[in-house]
Amino acid sequence: MEFEKNLAILKQHLLAENEHDMEATLATLHPECLFEDRARMINYVGHKGAAEYYGLWWKAFDLIVVSEKRHRLDNNNIVSEARYQGRHQGSFVGEEPTGRRIDFPLVCFLTFRDGLLAGERTYYDLGSLLSQIGAREQAA
């Protein structure tokens, strides 16, 4: 039963995230949530940190997350394979918008606490993302 509740909050979270609805997204998160962006080696803590994390991505890309596979580890842990898809529309790690489309895979380790999403540890290829937005071409 606990796993089903966690899966339901994850689905609610992804809906809000794809609509770029900050209030609804934060409502799915535990107040002490932890977001670990492993590619950029930056952690974001609590609702304030989560808002900063989502704000960064949503300003830089008209982003949606497409879930591909979910792997249940136990009642409070899920591994999700997904894709970020969108267009580069705002500054991202110092790279000005190019309007280019992005489509890259990521793996996210999700934890739950008290019926809410407690953490995301996300792995993706930052070099591939930067290449897709043209950052490597500009540097060459």
Side-chain angles (χ1 to χ4, degrees), residues 17-18 20 37 40 53-65 84-93 95-104 124 126 128-134:
E17 185 177 339
N18 281 341
H20 297 196
D37 184 328
R40 295 176 40 244
Y53 176 76
Y54 285 113
L56 166 86
W57 286 99
W58 295 348
K59 287 175 187 165
F61 303 99
D62 64 342
L63 197 64
I64 62 166
V65 178
Y84 275 168
Q85 297 176 334
R87 188 171 302 281
H88 184 211
Q89 64 185 17
S91 181
F92 179 74
V93 298
E95 297 296 328
E96 293 306 312
T98 61
R100 291 185 178 197
R101 294 209 47 78
I102 61 160
D103 182 350
F104 67 97
Y124 59 93
L126 182 58
S128 173
L129 173 59
L130 292 173
S131 179
Q132 287 184 43
I133 64 175

Side-chain angles (χ1 to χ4, degrees), residues 1 4 9 12 20-21 29-30 43 64 80 85 88 90 106 114 118 122 126:
M1 185 66 167
E4 288 77 17
I9 198 73
Q12 181 182 339
H20 297 196
D21 182 336
L29 302 176
H30 191 277
N43 292 340
I64 62 166
S80 177
Q85 297 176 334
H88 184 211
L106 64 131
D114 301 330
T122 306
L126 182 58

Side-chain angles (χ1 to χ4, degrees), residues 13-137:
H13 174 81
L14 288 173
L15 259 170
E17 185 177 339
N18 281 341
E19 292 174 3
H20 297 196
D21 182 336
M22 187 66 75
E23 185 177 332
T25 299
L26 294 177
T28 65
L29 302 176
H30 191 277
E32 298 171 5
C33 59
L34 172 63
F35 285 76
E36 300 173 77
D37 184 328
R38 302 303 288 171
R40 295 176 40 244
M41 302 295 286
I42 300 173
N43 292 340
Y44 300 87
V45 180
H47 282 184
K48 182 178 178 182
E52 181 182 344
Y53 176 76
Y54 285 113
L56 166 86
W57 286 99
W58 295 348
K59 287 175 187 165
F61 303 99
D62 64 342
L63 197 64
I64 62 166
V65 178
V66 180
S67 292
E68 294 180 336
K69 294 181 183 177
R70 293 194 185 111
H71 308 278
R72 176 182 178 172
L73 300 182
D74 57 36
N75 283 341
N76 288 311
N77 296 281
I78 296 173
V79 176
S80 177
E81 297 177 62
R83 302 188 76 75
Y84 275 168
Q85 297 176 334
R87 188 171 302 281
H88 184 211
Q89 64 185 17
S91 181
F92 179 74
V93 298
E95 297 296 328
E96 293 306 312
T98 61
R100 291 185 178 197
R101 294 209 47 78
I102 61 160
D103 182 350
F104 67 97
L106 64 131
V107 174
C108 189
F109 290 79
L110 305 159
T111 58
F112 299 85
R113 183 168 142 198
D114 301 330
L116 296 169
L117 188 56
E120 291 187 10
R121 181 181 304 133
T122 306
Y123 295 88
Y124 59 93
D125 183 348
L126 182 58
S128 173
L129 173 59
L130 292 173
S131 179
Q132 287 184 43
I133 64 175
R136 294 186 181 231
E137 293 169 13

